[in-house]
């Protein structure tokens, strides 16, 4: 599933690459002067298909594998985008994230830095884009079980649309599949004592953002 989704988006990018002209994300419906090559955005996660998977790594064969459904997902971030070519831009963002399980208890926390590239398509102010990102997660905090993980790398690939509402402001929506490796955790204040589990929080995430261009 993860590999087929990434392959499909890559094929889409190659197929459209030579046929569409480019309008920068700060363009408006009417022609007008632009204010710069940078955008600062405030974004929020509004959708998630992520379930928290925990796999037994102590016993062989494993005795316990579980998937923890989430009741609520929250992610808030600030993103900086810089136009770097006729059809491309670079993005960097910092996101504060919480995964709220259906069972009562504190959320799973995992703050992240995202760095990526975008390819824009289209000839109107409503501009489609493809995006790929490298993610660094500072570590997961399982507060209820008093587990935590070290920092780790993850990745994301997806697509979205950007709508310029004026010379300085735009709105956008994007869906990203975020893939993370199986991450081992340990007891808080006892780095050498394993929790006995590997955790995975891969899945689709939907974002909306408001941007200011300068």
């Amino acid at each position: 599933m993860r590999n087929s989704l990434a392959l499909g988006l890559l094929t889409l990018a190659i197929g459209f690459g030579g046929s569409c002209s480019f309008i920068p994300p700060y363009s408006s419906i009417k022609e007008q002067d632009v204010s710069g090559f940078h955008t600062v955005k405030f974004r929020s996660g509004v959708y998630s298909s992520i379930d928290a998977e925990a796999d037994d790594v102590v016993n062989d064969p494993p005795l316990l594998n579980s998937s923890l459904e989430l009741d609520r997902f929250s992610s808030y971030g600030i993103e900086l985008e810089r136009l770097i070519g006729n059809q491309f831009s670079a993005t960097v963002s910092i996101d504060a994230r919480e995964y709220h399980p259906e069972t009562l208890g504190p959320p799973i926390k995992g703050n992240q830095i995202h760095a990526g590239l975008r390819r824009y398509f289209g000839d109107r102010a409503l501009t489609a884009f493809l995006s790929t990102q490298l993610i660094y997660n500072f570590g997961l905090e399982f507060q209820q079980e008093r587990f935590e993980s070290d920092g780790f790398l993850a990745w994301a690939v997806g697509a979205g649309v950007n709508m310029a509402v004026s010379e300085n402001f735009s709105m956008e929506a994007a869906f990203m599949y975020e893939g993370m490796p199986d991450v081992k955790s340990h007891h808080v204040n006892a780095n050498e004592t394993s929790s006995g589990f590997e955790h995975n929080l891969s899945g689709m995430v939907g974002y909306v953002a408001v941007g200011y261009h300068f």
Side-chain angles (χ1 to χ4, degrees):
M1 174 63 183
R2 302 173 190 172
N3 293 335
S4 61
L5 179 61
L7 181 60
L9 289 170
L10 179 61
T11 303
L12 182 65
I14 295 173
F16 285 154
S19 61
C20 298
S21 58
F22 171 71
I23 294 294
Y26 44 72
S27 298
S28 67
I29 295 176
K30 297 180 180 180
E31 292 184 3
Q32 63 183 14
D33 293 335
V34 296
S35 56
F37 295 102
H38 300 86
T39 309
V40 61
K41 304 174 188 176
F42 298 92
R43 74 178 192 176
S44 174
V46 295
Y47 167 82
S48 170
S49 66
I50 294 174
D51 288 330
E53 298 180 359
D55 296 328
D56 184 353
V57 295
V58 174
N59 300 290
D60 188 16
L63 299 179
L64 179 62
N65 294 309
S66 64
S67 178
L68 180 63
E69 293 188 5
L70 302 181
D71 175 62
R72 186 163 56 89
F73 166 85
S74 61
S75 179
Y76 302 96
I78 298 176
E79 181 176 84
L80 179 65
E81 182 175 11
R82 172 68 162 87
L83 192 66
I84 59 174
N86 192 34
Q87 300 179 10
F88 296 92
S89 69
T91 61
V92 177
S93 66
I94 299 176
D95 293 79
R97 179 166 295 186
E98 293 184 349
Y99 308 86
H100 299 261
E102 284 189 339
T103 56
L104 295 178
I108 302 168
K109 294 184 177 182
N111 297 332
Q112 303 176 342
I113 291 180
H114 297 230
L117 291 173
R118 284 187 177 185
R119 169 70 186 274
Y120 282 93
F121 304 92
D123 55 4
R124 298 182 184 277
L126 183 62
T127 311
F129 61 85
L130 296 179
S131 177
T132 181
Q133 296 177 344
L134 182 66
I135 303 172
Y136 180 77
N137 192 305
F138 290 97
L140 300 174
E141 297 180 17
F142 302 84
Q143 300 176 83
Q144 186 171 7
E145 296 86 359
R146 295 187 58 77
F147 297 155
E148 63 183 8
S149 77
D150 295 328
F152 58 88
L153 290 174
W155 57 272
V157 61
V161 290
N162 184 286
M163 175 66 183
V165 296
S166 72
E167 179 181 353
N168 295 103
F169 291 95
S170 68
M171 301 179 64
E172 72 177 34
F175 282 93
M176 305 290 294
Y177 183 87
E178 298 184 355
M180 61 174 283
D182 292 328
V183 177
K184 294 182 179 180
S185 62
H186 50 77
H187 292 275
V188 175
N189 299 324
N191 291 355
E192 301 301 324
T193 306
S194 171
S195 68
F197 291 95
E198 285 185 345
H199 309 277
N200 191 293
L201 295 171
S202 299
M204 190 71 71
V205 178
Y207 296 98
V208 294
V210 176
Y212 175 76
H213 306 276
F214 61 97

